[in-house]
């Protein structure tokens, strides 16, 4: 089963490299749980819509991934996304560790972890450098990310 799960993870990131959010969402169960430091926890369609929004807005985007591994129930990968952060025009290189849980040949949980302070220093510049480690900025980043997702969903 780990070969099938490795192939699923690889298919997910290859779709991401092509900015193909529909192929990415097809790797998820309908009730998937996604989490990361920027969006917090998203469930079901919201997770797929997050990828739809991010791939639609991607500028100067590239992605690499490696260390794909899995067993019958869980898996992981390392990936690095490089892109232009639209709100500031700054280039971000985000280094991410992903953990997965599988059910019925699909991803039912996807948890990305990365250093939000490092991300905020790149994305937000001086504000991120000085305040990116604080709960105030962390909460503001999450609120802005969720606001963007809701606006994206409303426009579809």
């Amino acid at each position: 089963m780990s070969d099938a799960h490795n192939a699923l993870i690889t298919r997910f990131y290859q779709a991401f490299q092509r900015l193909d959010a529909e192929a990415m969402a097809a790797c998820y169960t309908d009730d998937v749980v996604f989490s990361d430091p920027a969006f917090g926890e998203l469930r079901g369609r919201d997770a797929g819509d997050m990828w739809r929004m991010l791939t639609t807005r991607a500028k100067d985007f590239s992605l690499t991934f490696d260390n794909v591994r899995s067993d019958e129930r869980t898996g992981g990968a390392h990936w690095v996304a490089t892109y232009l952060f639209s709100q500031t025009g700054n280039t971000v290189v985000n280094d991410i560790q992903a953990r997965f849980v599988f059910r019925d040949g699909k991803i039912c949980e996807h948890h990305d972890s990365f250093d939000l302070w490092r991300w905020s220093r790149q994305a937000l510049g001086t504000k991120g450098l000085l305040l990116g480690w604080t709960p105030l900025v962390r909460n503001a980043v999450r609120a802005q990310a969720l606001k963007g997702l809701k606006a994206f969903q409303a426009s579809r």
Side-chain angles (χ1 to χ4, degrees):
M1 195 60 160
S2 63
D3 287 345
H5 291 152
N6 284 350
L8 178 64
I9 294 168
T10 298
R11 189 165 60 250
F12 180 86
Y13 287 114
Q14 286 174 339
F16 200 178
Q17 288 174 322
R18 297 187 311 271
L19 299 175
D20 184 349
E22 296 308 320
M24 294 170 71
C27 296
Y28 284 163
T29 59
D30 290 341
D31 63 346
V32 67
V33 176
F34 172 87
S35 67
D36 82 355
F39 284 89
E41 185 175 289
L42 301 174
R43 294 180 172 270
R45 183 148 181 90
D46 288 346
D49 282 348
M50 175 202 60
W51 295 121
R52 289 176 185 95
M53 177 185 76
L54 293 176
T55 58
T56 300
R57 295 179 178 175
K59 300 279 188 264
D60 295 332
F61 177 84
S62 67
L63 180 134
T64 61
F65 67 97
D66 57 28
N67 200 24
V68 172
R69 64 213 177 277
S70 67
D71 58 29
E72 293 76 29
R73 186 172 176 277
T74 63
H78 168 253
W79 60 285
V80 177
T82 303
Y83 57 93
L84 199 64
F85 185 63
S86 60
Q87 293 178 343
T88 61
N90 293 341
T91 297
V92 173
V93 179
N94 203 6
D95 192 314
I96 301 164
Q97 291 294 326
R99 292 182 300 110
F100 302 98
V101 177
F102 307 106
R103 185 179 71 234
D104 301 327
K106 291 194 172 191
I107 299 165
C108 65
E109 291 185 32
H110 177 177
H111 304 283
D112 281 346
S113 59
F114 59 88
D115 183 337
L116 190 61
W117 187 21
R118 183 176 187 269
W119 177 90
S120 67
R121 290 191 308 260
Q122 295 176 76
L124 305 175
T126 303
K127 178 182 174 184
L129 173 65
L130 298 175
L131 300 172
W133 58 273
T134 66
L136 178 70
V137 170
R138 289 177 182 263
N139 292 338
V141 166
R142 183 165 296 162
Q144 188 65 32
L146 293 173
K147 180 181 174 186
L149 177 58
K150 295 304 175 199
F152 174 80
Q153 289 172 319
S155 72
R156 296 185 75 215

